[in-house]
Amino acid sequence: MQNKILISSLAASVTLLLGTAITPSTVEAATATGTNQGNTTIQFTVPTDGQLVLNKVPSFDFGNHALATSYSAFTATGDTPYDVTNLTGDSNGYTVTAQAGQLTNGSNVLPVSSLTTDTADGTADSVTGGKISGATGVSIYQASNKVATGNATANGELQSGTTGATLTLSSPGVKTGTYTGVIDYTITDGIN
């Protein structure tokens, strides 16, 4: 009899245990309320070199001409627009100046009365509005003058429009040969 009671008790305990173990329980999820915000951060620093760079500047080839008793002005299209990289991170803009030296062929100096340049405006950046503006009729022969400026938002790399130059001689007394000269270009921070 004791065996029967023990088996009955054991069976009842197992049933009770299994019944509890398989009884489904429900858990309710908490409902989210309210909002919050996080932050995003990025930092840019000025490079230690190459902050304001003239990547490209124009050269001018006035071509070949026969000797004559008088000359009209000679014109040339620049081989490239001004190309500037501005990584200063400021809003000062910049100024490009040019100064042309004498054109020489050995000891012979070309009798130049004027050398002027024309620079068309570049296309403004569609996002920042940064732009290089040109100047026309700028005398650069043996004098440094402003040929282009970058506005206050002219950051990153930008280009001017097309470039050109006009060369006028003061005398027809030219000796044969090829005359060459150098144009010194300078870029400075700020619009002068």
Side-chain angles (χ1 to χ4, degrees), residues 55-68:
N55 302 314
K56 294 179 184 176
V57 294
S59 293
F60 303 99
D61 184 346
F62 294 97
N64 297 317
H65 304 278
L67 290 176

Side-chain angles (χ1 to χ4, degrees), residues 76-104:
T77 300
D79 62 347
T80 186
Y82 295 99
D83 185 293
V84 175
T85 298
N86 179 7
L87 301 178
T88 60
D90 63 29
S91 297
N92 297 338
Y94 48 82
T95 300
V96 179
T97 58
Q99 179 174 346
Q102 292 181 322
L103 283 85
T104 59

Side-chain angles (χ1 to χ4, degrees), residues 26-188:
T26 57
V27 176
E28 292 187 27
T31 304
T33 59
T35 61
N36 205 340
Q37 294 180 332
N39 296 311
T40 56
T41 304
I42 186 168
Q43 180 178 1
F44 294 96
T45 58
V46 176
T48 57
D49 61 343
Q51 297 176 18
L52 190 57
V53 179
L54 271 170
N55 302 314
K56 294 179 184 176
V57 294
S59 293
F60 303 99
D61 184 346
F62 294 97
N64 297 317
H65 304 278
L67 290 176
T69 57
S70 66
Y71 300 100
S72 298
F74 304 100
T75 59
T77 300
D79 62 347
T80 186
Y82 295 99
D83 185 293
V84 175
T85 298
N86 179 7
L87 301 178
T88 60
D90 63 29
S91 297
N92 297 338
Y94 48 82
T95 300
V96 179
T97 58
Q99 179 174 346
Q102 292 181 322
L103 283 85
T104 59
N105 174 20
S107 61
N108 298 317
V109 176
L110 190 66
V112 173
S113 67
S114 70
L115 176 55
T116 61
T117 65
D118 297 311
T119 303
D121 293 347
T123 302
D125 182 277
S126 62
V127 176
T128 66
K131 177 180 170 182
I132 296 178
S133 297
T136 58
V138 178
S139 176
I140 64 168
Y141 186 63
Q142 296 185 321
S144 179
N145 284 303
K146 177 174 44 178
V147 293
T149 56
N151 66 10
T153 56
N155 294 305
E157 185 176 0
L158 294 171
Q159 290 185 342
S160 71
T162 58
T163 56
T166 302
L167 175 69
T168 306
L169 302 182
S170 60
S171 165
V174 177
K175 297 186 178 183
T176 60
T178 300
Y179 292 81
T180 59
V182 173
I183 303 173
D184 292 317
Y185 293 96
T186 305
I187 188 166
T188 54

